[in-house]
Amino acid sequence: MYEYDVLVIGGVGVDTIVRVAELAVPPGDSVHVPPIRDYVAHTGNGAALGAHALGLRTKFIDYLGQDQQGALILSEYAARGLDFSSLPAPAGTPRSVNLVDDAGRRFSFYDGRHPADLRMPAAFALPYVERSRHVHLSISHYNLDLFDGIEQLGRTVSTDLHSWDGVEPHRIPFAERADLVFMSAAGLRAEGALAPVLHGILDRGRARLVVATDGADGCHLLVRGDRTVRHFPAVAPLPGRSIVDSNGAGDAFVTGFLHAWFADADLETCVRSGQISGTYACGTAGTHTSFIDAPTLASALASAPG
């Protein structure tokens, strides 16, 4: 019925990864680090490549700069066979500089250079929405005006709020208008902060569920109609893989979850699929350098604890 299983809108750029001993500035004015490398990255890129690796028919659209970083992205997508279309980005391709410590944790300096008044034209995006079963909408500001058209076409929407604190206003429309909401618990470290934010998303919005990933502490799930937030412990890395770099783990979680969701799996399987996919992505250095495929995910699910 649909040409695409998932349409990802927005969120591509280039990460410059700097590996450091710890996420702190050492004394002095310089320090030697391992080779600094650039990677095609950012959240929409991770969602699109992760879905593509799992065999989902994937379309990705975004703004792209006519610059060296844009050329790097186009070359990568051609090599991977990802279906990508773009509009010229007036300020060039976004970039990030990410510090990654010896435990694989990261801190990102994000250059979100798109102008504040930039908006994705409905005439460009909605024809792809019509051809897609589901839309994953990155929290880029230029996507805000697309919700009405997507809803009129009757498509489900997922989004990733990342480390939202439940207050910052830009992400509120995404939290309230998506059907499936993903986020990181990193911005909710204060005791008792998590549950009110998850309940608030469901109380004020239309979401069926919200998932907050929590790194080594697993993840938290709240389903509409439930009063209690469920906690899922983290899964162990697959044999032969260890935690090297957490860049892109959240995006991989989303694609693993959606892969099971599209197959009408129960929520426990959806969560475990997301966790296995996210943990797998942490097994190589760099952003979005490896994604789990469907056979490997199925095998890991079969052997994972229920």
Side-chain angles (χ1 to χ4, degrees):
M1 181 177 179
Y2 301 110
E3 183 177 352
Y4 303 110
D5 296 308
V6 59
L7 167 68
V8 179
I9 305 180
V12 68
V14 170
D15 276 357
T16 299
I17 304 294
V18 183
R19 299 200 66 90
V20 295
E22 57 182 344
L23 299 181
V25 177
D29 62 1
S30 66
V31 62
H32 288 286
V33 297
I36 298 171
R37 304 190 186 282
D38 290 340
Y39 299 89
V40 176
H42 298 184
T43 184
N45 169 78
L49 286 177
H52 178 66
L54 283 167
L56 297 173
R57 298 169 300 164
T58 305
K59 178 69 181 182
F60 185 23
I61 61 174
D62 198 6
Y63 285 96
L64 192 68
Q66 296 176 317
D67 47 28
Q68 183 178 359
Q69 289 72 39
L72 175 65
I73 289 166
L74 292 177
S75 176
E76 180 75 8
Y77 290 168
R80 296 203 187 206
L82 179 66
D83 190 343
F84 177 68
S85 299
S86 65
L87 295 172
T93 303
R95 302 193 66 177
S96 292
V97 175
N98 295 351
L99 305 183
V100 180
D101 70 8
D102 288 342
R105 296 168 299 194
R106 66 99 185 226
F107 189 90
S108 178
F109 299 89
Y110 176 60
D111 162 17
R113 65 179 66 193
H114 294 305
D117 60 352
L118 186 68
R119 292 295 182 269
M120 178 76 72
F124 174 71
L126 293 186
Y128 293 114
V129 174
E130 287 186 286
R131 294 151 59 186
S132 304
R133 172 185 177 184
H134 176 84
V135 178
H136 183 73
L137 207 60
S138 299
I139 57 170
S140 305
H141 63 275
Y142 51 81
N143 284 339
L144 282 168
D145 292 348
L146 296 177
F147 274 110
D148 287 343
I150 295 171
E151 289 179 12
Q152 289 170 7
L153 290 169
R155 302 301 187 264
T156 52
V157 177
S158 57
T159 196
D160 187 345
L161 305 177
H162 303 284
S163 56
W164 189 43
D165 61 2
V167 177
E168 186 270 323
H170 165 73
R171 304 181 213 197
I172 291 176
F174 295 94
E176 294 183 349
R177 300 193 70 177
D179 299 282
L180 305 174
V181 175
F182 300 90
M183 63 183 296
S184 165
L188 302 169
R189 293 304 182 201
E191 185 175 355
L194 178 69
V197 170
L198 301 192
H199 278 286
I201 290 171
L202 297 187
D203 291 345
R204 295 192 301 270
R206 57 177 286 169
R208 306 177 191 182
L209 57 86
V210 54
V211 182
T213 57
D214 205 1
D217 290 327
C219 70
H220 312 271
L221 168 70
L222 182 62
V223 179
R224 180 169 295 281
D226 288 354
R227 298 185 61 184
T228 303
V229 177
R230 298 177 59 185
H231 175 254
F232 293 80
V235 300
L238 272 62
R241 297 181 71 86
S242 58
I243 303 300
V244 175
D245 190 332
S246 63
N247 280 290
D251 304 322
F253 180 99
V254 170
T255 58
F257 188 103
L258 290 178
H259 183 264
W261 177 270
F262 293 155
D264 295 322
D266 58 75
L267 286 177
E268 290 77 9
T269 301
C270 291
V271 169
R272 290 204 308 277
S273 296
Q275 291 180 306
I276 292 167
S277 180
T279 302
Y280 186 93
C282 295
T284 53
T287 306
H288 305 144
T289 50
S290 64
F291 292 95
I292 199 166
D293 58 27
T296 306
L297 177 57
S299 176
L301 279 170
S303 60

